[in-house]
């Protein structure tokens, strides 16, 4: 299986669990862990980190991308970040299903992005279903939040610290809690 074949497979939201897919996922996990060990094992300047993240993501990151390690991922090749994105320390990206982070987004400490869900049938529990997470522009995700598969977070939204986001978040709203619920609309002053 090639990377492009795998990405097409998960984009179609087809289950993951057959031997060919599992072998590919294991190989990619090994590569991601090698690169994240390099990222997390010693000090790097932001320029050096951008080079390492470009390798990890398999494509260039923006020159305005910033991250404070440690950073963890078990795949890496299905993460896309926009301009002026900041990811704080301890974040975990399970990105097989795809994680897209829009321009100007701030990701707090220890945020988890989980794009896979296991089959409900105990006989097929090891099979997983992928679904992407899409984060809009200028979003603020508070520390220790968890974003689950298939969720879209609209532009300008805020996810409160510790929230578990199981459903889409409309633009310019604040959500919080477990599971995350609407708290209030954000008033935008155009001055």
């Amino acid at each position: 299986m090639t990377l492009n074949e795998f990405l097409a497979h998960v984009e179609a939201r087809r289950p993951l669990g057959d031997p060919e897919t599992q072998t590919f996922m294991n190989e990619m996990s090994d590569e991601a862990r090698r690169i994240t060990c390099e990222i997390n094992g010693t000090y790097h300047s932001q320029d050096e980190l951008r080079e390492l993240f470009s390798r990890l993501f398999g494509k260039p990151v923006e020159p305005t991308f910033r991250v404070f390690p440690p950073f963890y991922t078990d795949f890496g090749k299905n993460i896309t970040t926009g301009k002026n994105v900041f990811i704080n320390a301890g974040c975990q990206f399970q990105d097989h299903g795809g994680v897209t982070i829009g321009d100007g987004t701030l990701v707090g400490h220890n945020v988890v992005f989980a794009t896979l869900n296991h089959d409900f049938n105990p006989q097929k529990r090891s099979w997983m279903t992928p679904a992407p997470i899409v984060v809009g522009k200028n979003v603020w995700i508070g520390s220790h939040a968890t974003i689950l598969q298939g969720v879209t977070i609209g532009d300008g939204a805020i996810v409160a610290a510790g929230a578990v986001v199981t459903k889409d978040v409309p633009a310019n709203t604040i959500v919080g809690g477990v599971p995350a619920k609407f708290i209030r609309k954000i008033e935008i002053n155009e001055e």
Side-chain angles (χ1 to χ4, degrees), residues 17-66:
D18 61 275
E20 180 183 23
T21 304
Q22 287 295 327
T23 298
F24 179 78
M25 290 171 67
N26 288 337
E27 291 168 0
M28 295 305 293
S29 178
D30 285 345
E31 179 183 332
R33 285 183 294 116
R34 272 192 297 277
I35 298 170
T36 56
C37 281
E38 192 174 343
I39 289 167
N40 299 333
T42 188
Y43 170 80
H44 299 283
S45 70
Q46 286 298 315
D47 286 337
E48 291 166 337
L49 286 168
R50 282 186 281 275
E51 288 177 27
L52 288 163
F53 274 84
S54 294
R55 274 182 38 215
L56 181 62
F57 295 173
K59 57 188 167 263
V61 297
E62 288 289 331
T64 55
F65 174 81
R66 292 179 52 238

Side-chain angles (χ1 to χ4, degrees), residues 1-8 10 16 21-36 53 55-59 71-79 92-99 115-116:
M1 174 170 272
T2 67
L3 178 58
N4 287 337
E5 290 169 338
F6 180 84
L7 294 176
V10 297
L16 304 169
T21 304
Q22 287 295 327
T23 298
F24 179 78
M25 290 171 67
N26 288 337
E27 291 168 0
M28 295 305 293
S29 178
D30 285 345
E31 179 183 332
R33 285 183 294 116
R34 272 192 297 277
I35 298 170
T36 56
F53 274 84
R55 274 182 38 215
L56 181 62
F57 295 173
K59 57 188 167 263
F71 177 90
Y72 305 97
T73 183
D74 55 1
F75 188 64
K77 298 293 189 263
N78 209 359
I79 300 171
Q92 301 174 45
F93 282 55
Q94 180 198 57
D95 64 290
H96 292 84
V99 176
T115 66
L116 297 176

